[in-house]
Amino acid sequence: MHTLVQGVILGVLTGGVYALMASGQTLIFGVMKVVNLAQGAFVIASAYLAFTLFTQFGIDPLVAVLITTPLMFGIGVVGHWLFLRPLRREDATELSILITFALALLVEGILSITYRTTYRSINTSYANKAFDVAGFSVSAVRLYGFIVSCALLLLLYVILQKTRFGRAIRATVQNPQSATLLGVDSNRVKAYGFGLGIATAAASGSIYGLLFPFNSGSHYDLISRLLSVVVLGGLGSIGGAVLAGVIIGVVSSVAAVTWSPTWSEMTFFVVLILVLLIRPQGMFGRVERGAL
Amino acid sequence: MKLSKQGASPFFTRAGLTRGGVFIVALIVMPQLFPQHWIWNMMFFTVLYAAMSVSWNLVGGFAGYPSLGHAAFFGIGAYAMASLFKSTHILTNGWQPFFVMPLIGLGCAVIAIPIGYIAMRVRADVFAIVTITLLFVAQTLGYNLKGLTGGAQGAGLSVAPFRLDIFEQPFYFAAAFLLLLAMGIAYFVTKTKLGMALTSIRADEDKARGVGVRTTGVKVMAFAVSVGITGMAGGIWAYYLGFIYPQFAFDPLITIAIVLMTFLGGRATVWGPVLGAAILMPAQQLLAYYVGGSQIYLIAYAAIFLLIMLLLPRGILPTFLNKRRMASMATKGDLSGVSTSPVATGGINS
Amino acid sequence: MTELLRVENLTKKFDELIAVDNCSFSVEEGSITALIGPNGSGKTTVFNLITGYLPSNGGTVEFAGSPIHGQSPGTLYRKGLTRTFQQARVFADLTVQENLVVAGGGSWTNLFGRRITAEDRARAAELLDEFKLSHVADLYASELSWGQRKLLEFASVLMSKPRLVLLDEPTAGVNPILIETMATHIRSYNAAGVTFLIVEHDMSFVMRVCDPVIVLDRGKTIAMGNPETVQSDPRVLDAYLGD
């Protein structure tokens, strides 16, 4: 029983990071109707950035978030302008998949040359510290990571609900045509929406780097996991992505402590299959057969 | 492709048969002209990858469902071959394993049916990531099902008992045969309603459903056939190497290469992927020779990929064919019905 | 006069927005019925619900007496219910002729047969001649003008000899001569037994071609009747001018 609860705690804390990463991915989907295959790569790139900032300048990765996030936002906007905007409308969806895939490869290639392929992790002073809460061990790193994830998700929520930019995004996600009629500049929204999605990747990268060892090839694993989370939550639903992140975090963590760590990685895959079989639109996704 | 005004669309045209014939002759003759081992080796890989690209094209090019994790099936075929070697004695003369190949292909195709059915219930971009997940799962299984695959230690097959001086040749011809099989299937698809159905799915799947096209069945069929051929390629490769490791059998670079070859040469055409393979494989060998190290591949691939997507999205062959078509229509004065609006400047595929 | 299509209490919500609100109406067999209403009244959404492109949040739809709720567009197509789209969806990568042939339906074994058989060619030729698209038969659909696309889309949904065709703004963006052509085609197919339900904004077209007319406003049916009655109905005037 104790191990079970321990597993749940661990799962919730880790789930927060997945929630953050997945929210960016599902946001990009909502705005551009394209699944960004490079999301994982940007998380890893940001993890490397945080790693460099830490090893070279001693900046704590969680603090580095303040640097990496605006930087990645900018990269996201520029990347969108360079690679995604010029697509002719007919081909857009199909080519977007491949373009984001190519971007992921580009990022992976650059990272592997810059950093080689050895696994890295960010070992801060509190990396091995753990708190004792009511008899359960709570790792400091995971707790801080969770707190930061929650804070950022809250920030995302505020941006989307309270700012004009956020409202424009939500309107575009709901109904792109009406949004344009209401005066929303769809190109701008797509560019900034994409940037915002990449920015969440940036923020989560720091946390990811603290929690898991990574190398340039880690984005494949990560994008697969993110897909499971996003599909469970429902494409386009940020709330769904958050909830799904925590759920999958808990399930995989419980599987790891009660069964085996290797096979717990399969949890993501199993969840994906189950969702696709039983309810492909996930928890909160829309069932639309693309009429409009 | 001009269709005759009366009667049904032809299965074979004189031009098509000629092209096919010349190609087969070239396949047989070319490597004989440069009988060095490294040439045979390079031609083997070129033809093998061409076969995989042509078959990938069925689901990634024609149907518009880019399977970005196709290497999973390559690896499954490779390990299937390896386990056959372990469990049975199929190595009497060196040729027996080649005859077992169709069984591997069939097996892969059969398991691909339920996988395809589940994976293709979703949009094409989600499908892409599902296949990446599949690759990742296959790789994990490859490392962890040690009893079956030997884990990170790899799996050995017996070395083929061919004479050393002509060692590569049987494998080359096996791969060439696979390529011809794949091209034959792709050709058949374009000459039947299957091709139109797949193209309609790529063009507008919901509309295709709306006009009664049997989208699910057709998609899954294309996927299964594509997987079958890829699995066979994996089997041949495993036999050629004699020893396989999970990181090479389930290497994402394999998928990336075949996707790139298909898109470079021209997706949704029979010859496009062959052209792409013929360009990229030697180029890759050259790059490896001068620069070495696998990391540069990624950037090179990614860069070429992006360039193609942005500048030549239809690939070399269709763009060239389209220009020729436009030119011939212009001289015949057939352009009266053609609109010059932006949406009309697409290329051709079918 | 039998009811070919019957919609009852159909509802569709997009989060808090109620696009279709307990909407009810019916379409008589053999009629050319119009479905009109101000922007945002839910007309296209109703089409999407009827033809299986969107799931509803309530209500029933009956086609030829049997419920068709939740059935896929493909199934409905085979039952004789087809539709066009506002944006003239055609298969850009197929030729005009192929666009028609691929919509011709057919069994599984058909798929392995020749790409275009002699019968396909004949049947398609009929439609191509009627719609005056013969001269562009070998062009790719992406190379057609807007008006030609609309005609092609219209022609392709007729390939399977349907009973009921839902047209979504057939005259949008189309020049007046072509509008007349469309009207002629609709009338002649109607005379041959095809029922039409048309979403339209072009009032003169509606007046000339359609009878009866159903009016939607904010997802509800507010009026139904022949064009003249509807035109002078105060509720209708209110809906169009009021907001």
Side-chain angles (χ1 to χ4, degrees):
Chain A
M1 189 54 199
H2 185 271
T3 12
L4 196 67
V5 177
Q6 185 73 67
V8 171
I9 295 177
L10 188 65
V12 170
L13 295 181
T14 323
V17 189
Y18 284 114
L20 184 62
M21 293 189 276
S23 65
Q25 173 126 48
T26 213
L27 172 66
I28 291 180
F29 178 78
V31 170
M32 298 175 51
K33 296 292 180 277
V34 160
V35 177
N36 177 24
L37 272 76
Q39 191 79 2
F42 281 109
V43 171
I44 301 292
S46 174
Y48 270 111
L49 255 171
F51 174 79
T52 309
L53 288 171
F54 179 68
T55 51
Q56 305 283 43
F57 302 107
I59 302 179
D60 182 281
L62 295 175
V63 172
V65 167
L66 295 168
I67 303 174
T68 56
T69 310
L71 179 65
M72 286 295 203
F73 177 79
I75 293 181
V77 173
V78 169
H80 176 268
W81 188 80
L82 274 177
F83 300 112
L84 291 166
R85 219 181 67 131
L87 294 177
R88 287 192 324 251
R89 257 194 9 235
E90 261 167 39
D91 280 311
T93 332
E94 217 192 325
L95 291 184
S96 304
I97 309 170
L98 298 161
I99 290 192
T100 54
F101 185 58
L103 280 175
L105 295 179
L106 191 63
V107 170
E108 181 186 346
I110 296 176
L111 289 174
S112 71
I113 291 193
T114 322
Y115 292 99
R116 311 281 172 69
T117 53
T118 43
Y119 275 90
R120 317 272 179 175
S121 62
I122 308 179
N123 286 315
T124 55
S125 54
Y126 50 87
N128 292 314
K129 191 152 145 227
F131 300 110
D132 191 305
V133 178
F136 296 106
S137 160
V138 175
S139 132
V141 175
R142 285 181 199 260
L143 183 62
Y144 296 153
F146 180 73
I147 294 175
V148 172
S149 302
C150 288
L152 290 168
L153 280 169
L154 196 62
L155 181 61
L156 186 65
Y157 176 78
V158 167
I159 292 178
L160 288 175
Q161 297 285 111
K162 305 289 180 193
T163 66
R164 218 182 61 185
F165 169 54
R167 274 197 288 275
I169 290 186
R170 282 188 302 130
T172 311
V173 171
Q174 283 253 10
N175 198 332
Q177 282 128 336
S178 319
T180 353
L181 286 173
L182 291 167
V184 170
D185 179 346
S186 85
N187 270 319
R188 272 260 205 92
V189 167
K190 286 190 184 162
Y192 291 145
F194 189 75
L196 192 57
I198 302 294
T200 58
S204 19
S206 292
I207 307 172
Y208 188 87
L210 273 173
L211 298 184
F212 306 107
F214 57 92
N215 79 348
S216 54
S218 302
H219 70 102
Y220 282 111
D221 174 8
L222 189 54
I223 193 74
S224 308
R225 293 179 190 223
L226 286 181
L227 181 73
S228 304
V229 176
V230 166
V231 166
L232 174 62
L235 277 171
S237 162
I238 297 184
V242 172
L243 188 58
V246 176
I247 293 178
I248 295 190
V250 169
V251 172
S252 76
S253 178
V254 167
V257 297
T258 58
W259 192 12
S260 126
T262 329
W263 296 110
S264 90
E265 309 207 330
M266 292 291 185
T267 326
F268 289 86
F269 175 64
V270 170
V271 169
L272 180 64
I273 299 292
L274 286 175
V275 173
L276 289 181
L277 272 176
I278 301 174
R279 194 184 150 93
Q281 71 268 28
M283 294 190 292
F284 302 108
R286 302 228 183 106
V287 182
E288 267 165 33
R289 290 195 235 212
L292 290 181
Chain B
M1 283 170 265
K2 214 61 169 94
L3 299 166
S4 55
K5 289 300 177 194
Q6 301 95 350
S9 59
F11 264 126
F12 297 110
T13 59
R14 193 121 39 98
L17 280 173
T18 327
R19 275 197 295 266
V22 168
F23 185 64
I24 294 178
V25 170
L27 272 182
I28 299 177
V29 167
M30 249 175 27
Q32 323 265 18
L33 299 173
F34 311 97
Q36 286 107 320
H37 283 284
W38 70 273
I39 296 259
W40 277 103
N41 183 58
M42 187 179 78
M43 299 235 59
F44 167 70
F45 278 103
T46 308
V47 171
L48 194 71
Y49 271 79
M52 287 198 282
S53 303
V54 170
S55 75
W56 185 90
N57 199 13
L58 289 174
V59 65
F62 284 98
Y65 273 79
S67 165
L68 295 178
H70 228 56
F73 306 108
F74 179 81
I76 290 177
Y79 275 101
M81 193 56 144
S83 59
L84 272 177
F85 269 80
K86 232 171 59 163
S87 55
T88 65
H89 290 289
I90 59 171
L91 201 66
T92 50
N93 60 24
W95 295 92
Q96 216 126 341
F98 292 127
F99 294 112
V100 172
M101 213 64 69
L103 283 176
I104 293 185
L106 210 63
C108 286
V110 165
I111 61 170
I113 295 178
I115 295 178
Y117 182 73
I118 299 175
M120 290 174 123
R121 290 178 134 213
V122 294
R123 310 153 47 95
D125 38 9
V126 176
F127 170 76
I129 308 188
V130 172
T131 57
I132 293 180
T133 312
L134 273 171
L135 175 60
F136 177 68
V137 168
Q139 202 179 58
T140 312
L141 288 176
Y143 275 112
N144 291 308
L145 288 179
K146 296 202 179 64
L148 203 63
T149 64
Q153 256 67 346
L157 301 83
S158 317
V159 178
F162 301 123
R163 262 172 36 218
L164 274 178
D165 59 330
I166 53 117
F167 187 75
E168 297 87 359
Q169 294 187 20
F171 296 99
Y172 170 79
F173 287 110
F177 183 75
L178 191 64
L179 173 61
L180 290 172
L181 176 66
M183 289 175 76
I185 294 177
Y187 186 75
F188 178 74
V189 165
T190 55
K191 293 300 181 193
T192 58
K193 289 200 165 54
L194 277 171
M196 282 202 301
L198 286 172
T199 307
S200 72
I201 292 174
R202 184 185 79 235
D204 193 337
E205 181 161 3
D206 289 304
K207 166 111 183 140
R209 244 183 249 134
V211 293
V213 174
R214 313 253 176 197
T215 53
T216 314
V218 166
K219 275 192 298 196
V220 174
M221 231 192 311
F223 185 70
V225 169
S226 168
V227 166
I229 297 189
T230 309
M232 286 197 269
I236 298 179
W237 172 81
Y239 186 29
Y240 182 63
L241 287 190
F243 205 95
I244 57 176
Y245 295 95
Q247 65 262 39
F248 298 119
F250 298 110
D251 188 354
L253 278 176
I254 299 174
T255 322
I256 295 167
I258 60 186
V259 173
L260 198 53
M261 288 173 191
T262 309
F263 273 85
L264 178 63
R267 57 176 176 149
T269 61
V270 177
W271 292 94
V274 182
L275 179 64
I279 297 176
L280 270 167
M281 202 38 110
Q284 183 194 306
Q285 301 279 48
L286 224 71
L287 196 67
Y289 182 71
Y290 282 113
V291 181
S294 80
Q295 320 308 355
I296 205 81
Y297 284 144
L298 276 172
I299 300 196
Y301 279 153
I304 300 177
F305 220 148
L306 286 167
L307 282 172
I308 298 178
M309 290 301 128
L310 294 171
L311 301 176
L312 210 64
R314 304 280 167 161
I316 297 177
L317 202 59
T319 312
F320 173 69
L321 287 174
N322 194 37
K323 286 214 197 311
R324 213 178 57 172
R325 178 175 165 267
M326 284 298 189
S328 84
M329 286 204 310
T331 53
K332 286 196 206 153
D334 274 355
L335 281 174
S336 52
V338 178
S339 126
T340 49
S341 67
V343 294
T345 49
I348 47 165
N349 300 282
S350 45
Chain C
M1 296 280 202
T2 47
E3 269 177 2
L4 188 53
L5 182 74
R6 187 190 177 80
V7 171
E8 241 175 277
N9 293 319
L10 198 55
T11 308
K12 177 66 185 173
K13 296 198 206 92
F14 290 113
D15 292 335
E16 310 97 47
L17 178 70
I18 304 180
V20 179
D21 191 358
N22 280 305
C23 182
S24 302
F25 62 85
S26 64
V27 176
E28 267 174 35
E29 183 151 25
S31 66
I32 305 177
T33 308
L35 187 65
I36 67 174
N39 270 320
S41 48
K43 308 186 294 291
T44 301
T45 314
V46 166
F47 264 26
N48 290 339
L49 292 169
I50 295 174
T51 52
Y53 279 95
L54 273 183
S56 71
N57 297 112
T60 60
V61 182
E62 270 180 29
F63 178 63
S66 38
I68 57 168
H69 196 192
Q71 290 180 10
S72 74
T75 317
L76 294 175
Y77 188 80
R78 282 185 272 277
K79 287 190 177 172
L81 203 177
T82 72
R83 71 165 293 183
T84 62
F85 295 85
Q86 260 173 328
Q87 301 103 312
R89 287 162 86 155
V90 292
F91 299 117
D93 297 324
L94 292 177
T95 65
V96 168
Q97 186 177 61
E98 290 172 340
N99 261 274
L100 291 177
V101 174
V102 84
S107 59
W108 271 106
T109 44
N110 217 2
L111 277 175
F112 295 95
R114 284 172 190 285
R115 194 175 173 108
I116 299 184
T117 62
E119 300 94 69
D120 292 329
R121 203 182 293 279
R123 174 90 183 105
E126 259 175 55
L127 279 167
L128 286 172
D129 274 332
E130 257 189 67
F131 284 80
K132 307 262 189 312
L133 290 171
S134 302
H135 64 293
V136 293
D138 289 326
L139 285 184
Y140 286 93
S142 55
E143 295 163 338
L144 296 180
S145 66
W146 174 257
Q148 286 169 324
R149 284 189 184 206
K150 290 213 93 127
L151 282 177
L152 175 59
E153 200 199 14
F154 190 5
S156 68
V157 299
L158 293 168
M159 273 296 277
S160 62
K161 306 203 209 267
R163 286 178 73 177
L164 173 62
V165 178
L166 273 57
L167 294 173
D168 200 343
E169 299 197 33
T171 67
V174 162
N175 68 62
I177 304 177
L178 206 49
I179 294 182
E180 261 326 290
T181 316
M182 292 268 194
T184 316
H185 288 313
I186 294 173
R187 283 199 198 96
S188 69
Y189 271 93
N190 182 246
V194 180
T195 311
F196 287 92
L197 176 63
I198 308 179
V199 162
E200 248 315 325
H201 279 297
D202 182 345
M203 282 310 137
S204 67
F205 179 84
V206 170
M207 294 302 153
R208 276 177 298 145
V209 180
C210 310
D211 186 359
V213 174
I214 304 169
V215 187
L216 290 187
D217 182 34
R218 283 188 263 232
K220 282 176 128 56
T221 315
I222 58 170
M224 208 170 358
N226 64 52
E228 293 77 31
T229 330
V230 162
Q231 203 174 30
S232 43
D233 189 322
R235 287 169 300 173
V236 174
L237 293 167
D238 206 31
Y240 272 97
L241 303 170
D243 322 297

